[in-house]
Amino acid sequence: MRLELGHVLIKDVQFGNETKLEKGVLTVNKEELINLIKEDEHLASVDVDIAKPGESVRITPVKDVVEPRVKVEGPGGVFPGILSKVDVVGSGKTNVLKGCVVMTTGKIVGFQEGIVDMSGPGAEFTPFSKTINLVLKCEPVEGLKQHDHERAVRFAGFKAAAYLAETAKSMTPDTVEVYEVDPFLKGIEKYPNLPKVGYVQMLQTQGLLHDTYVYGVDAKQIVPTIMYPTEIMDGAIVSGNCVSACDKNTTYHQMNNPVIHDLLAEHGKTLNFVGVIITNENVYLADKERSSNWTAKLAEYLGLDGVIVSQEGFGNPDTDLIMNTKKIEAKGIDTVIITDEYAGRDGASQSLADADPSANAVVTGGNANEIIVLPKMDKVIGTLDYVDIIAGGFDGSLAADGTITVEIQAITGATNEVGFNKMSARGF
């Protein structure tokens, strides 16, 4: 499987009479984009705004973040099973609008969405203070059910990203990155002396709007399976999560997963990156046992020497994380886990809800309970109505002067568990 990612570098985003891309400047016809999104009868109103790095702007509540990508050559299209037909993606050529994203906000579905500040101390904890953000504010029709509301906002982000990415379909990219992974047996023959490494990616699937989709299928319904790493870069996995902002994988995180990128960078040099095993994080014990059994079985079947396991979320999924680690280690396969911590505001509490001596190689994204004071911003995109009740907030988080005191749990991507964040520590 060979994929060429063409990076079209975006220097600025602005509104204009025509949606086009020239010399790194993306011009967006605001009315045309709004009309496209409002084709969904579940949305009563849609507005679009732009937030740029360094501005005194706060975006909240943030639902999802999507990087615009378009399939230029090869099978399928970006977001298969969602916007494109269900072809196997991850090969051919895909162009990327690099440096800008689509972000969704508006009336909240659950109560766990996040904050993105474009400047100030909070900006240091989120990667999305460094991107130019085209923000959709979507308001649902009266009486809309929660899952229909979530789906409407989710699809709005995907449709907007696809709409913008079309401007780069026929463009020559500024840079091109090539990723290639061989079929299993060919890869074993090609790199006989390199350690065989796999990546176990745990997907948030706790239900009650804690959803991740694989080729359009709710991952609660899957059993662990194997994917080429490049499939994920074409949007085969997307977020439908309304969970704690600090460690949920937005669709942007899925498409730019640094674990996958780093393993591919070493593939054929220091290791043989055999592939990705995706697994879920369901709530019933039988489901946890089944998924962790299958995950360990697949790691053994592939003959892996080492595995990296990344978690999504905390609390209940800590059990899945430890189950996966114990069972993979019991197969004689070395395991490193990536997680984050909920160790209390003083850092003195137990970091994970579960533990085992076999989980002795850990990378952490930081302590989500750490407190931060976010200064007032000159402009808010979205609404401050939910600041006191989002995960990481509390009664009185929003002060009368506009400052916000919250745990960094409330900042989108602050302790991300694929490592796309500022903080980390390692212990062996």
Side-chain angles (χ1 to χ4, degrees):
M1 188 81 82
R2 175 188 169 93
L3 177 66
E4 294 185 18
L5 280 187
H7 291 178
V8 179
L9 305 182
I10 304 301
K11 302 172 184 175
D12 193 19
V13 179
Q14 60 189 24
F15 291 124
N17 294 325
E18 179 185 1
T19 297
K20 60 183 180 180
L21 179 55
E22 293 180 345
K23 297 179 180 179
V25 177
L26 177 64
T27 302
V28 181
N29 183 320
K30 182 176 179 178
E31 182 179 1
E32 186 174 86
L33 177 57
I34 288 174
N35 288 338
L36 172 68
I37 303 305
K38 283 191 68 179
E39 289 177 357
D40 190 329
E41 61 185 9
H42 298 103
L43 298 177
S45 67
V46 177
D47 197 10
V48 184
D49 211 331
I50 298 170
K52 301 178 182 180
E55 293 182 336
S56 181
V57 174
R58 173 165 293 143
I59 309 165
T60 188
V62 174
K63 172 68 175 68
D64 195 15
V65 185
V66 187
E67 185 172 60
R69 298 190 175 195
V70 61
K71 180 58 68 177
V72 175
E73 181 182 298
V78 176
F79 308 126
I82 306 279
L83 297 187
S84 305
K85 62 181 182 179
V86 190
D87 279 332
V88 175
V89 295
S91 63
K93 297 180 180 179
T94 297
N95 278 356
V96 184
L97 300 191
K98 209 68 186 175
C100 76
V101 302
V102 172
M103 192 174 286
T104 48
T105 185
K107 185 177 180 181
I108 203 165
V109 182
F111 298 112
Q112 300 191 67
E113 308 300 2
I115 299 170
V116 170
D117 282 355
M118 301 306 293
S119 61
E124 295 298 315
F125 289 88
T126 176
F128 306 119
S129 63
K130 290 83 174 172
T131 53
I132 303 172
N133 303 325
L134 190 83
V135 187
L136 305 179
K137 183 179 180 182
C138 302
E139 300 297 330
V141 296
E142 199 71 33
L144 187 64
K145 293 182 179 179
Q146 284 184 312
H147 281 85
D148 292 330
H149 180 183
E150 187 281 319
R151 183 182 185 278
V153 177
R154 171 162 39 95
F155 270 64
F158 300 150
K159 289 167 68 176
Y163 168 82
L164 298 178
E166 282 293 323
T167 62
K169 187 167 186 176
S170 60
M171 294 197 70
T172 301
D174 295 289
T175 61
V176 176
E177 295 181 351
V178 179
Y179 302 98
E180 189 167 7
V181 179
D182 296 302
F184 176 66
L185 289 179
K186 185 177 179 181
I188 300 301
E189 294 172 358
K190 192 172 183 179
Y191 305 112
N193 299 318
L194 293 179
K196 299 180 290 297
V197 177
Y199 172 37
V200 171
Q201 183 175 2
M202 295 170 54
L203 306 177
Q204 175 60 257
T205 55
Q206 288 178 268
L208 298 176
L209 302 171
H210 295 38
D211 302 319
T212 303
Y213 296 87
V214 180
Y215 282 93
V217 175
D218 188 337
K220 286 191 296 295
Q221 307 301 322
I222 70 169
V223 291
T225 191
I226 302 167
M227 296 182 72
Y228 281 101
T230 53
E231 291 180 74
I232 299 169
M233 296 176 180
D234 268 348
I237 300 177
V238 301
S239 174
N241 285 317
C242 302
V243 295
S244 292
C246 64
D247 57 13
K248 83 169 176 181
N249 291 328
T250 66
T251 299
Y252 180 96
H253 287 103
Q254 299 287 359
M255 302 171 93
N256 291 278
N257 188 317
V259 179
I260 290 175
H261 279 259
D262 289 355
L263 287 173
L264 285 172
E266 292 300 314
H267 178 60
K269 301 172 185 176
T270 62
L271 55 86
N272 179 3
F273 184 16
V274 174
V276 181
I277 300 170
I278 59 169
T279 185
N280 48 28
E281 300 173 347
N282 287 353
V283 295
Y284 293 110
L285 181 59
D287 292 329
K288 293 177 183 294
E289 293 286 7
R290 180 188 303 108
S291 290
S292 56
N293 286 342
W294 276 56
T295 299
K297 176 191 70 175
L298 290 174
E300 179 185 41
Y301 181 72
L302 294 173
L304 299 179
D305 300 303
V307 167
I308 296 174
V309 184
S310 69
Q311 182 182 9
E312 184 176 9
F314 70 99
N316 187 291
D318 292 351
T319 303
D320 302 86
L321 176 68
I322 298 303
M323 279 185 171
N324 286 324
T325 303
K326 286 171 58 177
K327 293 176 182 180
I328 294 171
E329 286 272 348
K331 302 288 188 182
I333 303 169
D334 293 331
T335 306
V336 176
I337 65 175
I338 310 175
T339 183
D340 63 353
E341 303 173 60
Y342 287 77
R345 295 175 184 177
D346 60 359
S349 300
Q350 181 172 317
S351 297
L352 298 176
D354 199 358
D356 188 84
S358 63
N360 58 4
V362 181
V363 181
T364 173
N367 179 19
N369 297 134
E370 180 182 333
I371 289 287
I372 188 170
V373 178
L374 305 175
K376 179 184 178 181
M377 295 283 139
D378 294 338
K379 178 180 178 179
V380 174
I381 302 177
T383 177
L384 297 175
D385 292 351
Y386 307 103
V387 167
D388 285 0
I389 56 174
I390 59 175
F394 47 86
D395 189 24
S397 281
L398 178 61
D401 64 359
T403 62
I404 298 174
T405 302
V406 287
E407 296 178 353
I408 62 171
Q409 182 180 175
I411 298 175
T412 301
T415 63
N416 180 259
E417 293 164 292
V418 294
F420 209 120
N421 62 323
K422 172 186 177 181
M423 300 186 299
S424 184
R426 287 180 292 178
F428 296 95

